[in-house]
Amino acid sequence: DFRLDLYRRIAVNPGAGTAELRELTGASRGQLRYHLDMLIREGKVATVDYRNRARHFVRSQRHTDLEQRILANLRDETPGTILAHHLRNPGATRNDITEWLGLSGPTVIWQMQQFEAEGIVTADREERATRYRLTEDTQEFLNRYTGDPSIARHPSARWDLPVRRHEVLSG
């Protein structure tokens, strides 16, 4: 049954967006919308609007608002990569992130401002640099999440990041 398969895919991919679910299931937009609507009406799936994109969660998993924001970020390449970097490199600065991950300064600043506003990171402003750290709740959740093999991760949430970006390029 397609609906049961969809439900299971949402359960192992919490925070998945509609486009990602279409890709995972191979469903047409209409078929996916119909079955998502049925799962929502049955109270089995919750849809959360996060940064103007629908994110889907199985209700029985009962993620907190913070956990939903973290999971939604992990579904996207840039935020997921930055969070993975912070898990391994607490206290990283914007320059550290731009150098190690090859992202632009404005991209990193914008993303870190979003994370800070959402309670995912804290910013310790020093004389010339700002050090970003995962909040205690974020750190705890990510430690549990990355250690839980039953939770599938989107390929863009790269937990296998090397210590430095140039090591990937030279290897």
Side-chain angles (χ1 to χ4, degrees):
D1 178 48
F2 178 80
R3 196 171 311 151
L4 179 59
D5 179 56
L6 177 60
Y7 176 83
R8 288 179 178 156
R9 289 183 189 266
I10 295 169
V12 297
N13 295 285
T18 307
E20 184 180 349
L21 290 172
R22 282 186 60 215
E23 186 179 305
L24 288 170
T25 62
S28 69
R29 185 173 287 158
Q31 180 186 23
L32 182 66
R33 183 77 265 152
Y34 172 79
H35 289 285
L36 267 174
D37 286 346
M38 292 301 292
L39 288 169
I40 292 166
R41 275 189 226 131
E42 293 169 359
K44 294 179 179 175
V45 169
T47 299
V48 176
D49 182 37
Y50 180 74
R51 294 187 189 176
N52 297 319
R53 293 176 64 195
R55 301 300 184 146
H56 308 285
F57 297 89
V58 170
R59 285 190 183 270
S60 64
Q61 290 176 330
R62 297 190 178 147
H63 297 290
T64 66
D65 289 343
L66 175 64
E67 291 169 351
Q68 287 178 352
R69 290 190 301 271
I70 294 167
L71 288 166
N73 278 296
L74 293 175
R75 311 292 325 154
D76 292 330
E77 185 173 4
T78 299
T81 301
I82 292 172
L83 285 176
H85 179 73
H86 275 290
L87 192 59
R88 289 192 171 155
N89 301 283
T93 65
R94 179 193 63 104
N95 287 339
D96 294 338
I97 299 165
T98 59
E99 179 184 321
W100 290 16
L101 300 179
L103 300 171
S104 72
T107 296
V108 171
I109 289 171
W110 183 85
Q111 191 61 60
M112 298 315 295
Q113 288 172 341
Q114 296 299 307
F115 286 160
E116 189 176 8
E118 294 168 350
I120 295 172
V121 301
T122 59
D124 299 324
R125 287 161 179 77
E126 298 171 356
E127 282 184 32
R128 296 191 150 220
T130 301
R131 295 206 174 273
Y132 298 99
R133 289 176 176 59
L134 298 173
T135 63
E136 188 176 320
D137 290 340
T138 300
Q139 179 82 38
E140 181 182 310
F141 177 72
L142 285 174
N143 286 337
R144 276 193 336 262
Y145 180 72
T146 58
D148 184 351
S150 70
I151 300 176
R153 285 154 193 76
H154 191 274
S156 65
R158 298 186 46 217
W159 299 109
D160 60 337
L161 287 174
V163 176
R164 291 187 179 269
R165 181 173 170 74
H166 71 269
E167 291 174 1
V168 172
L169 301 176
S170 63

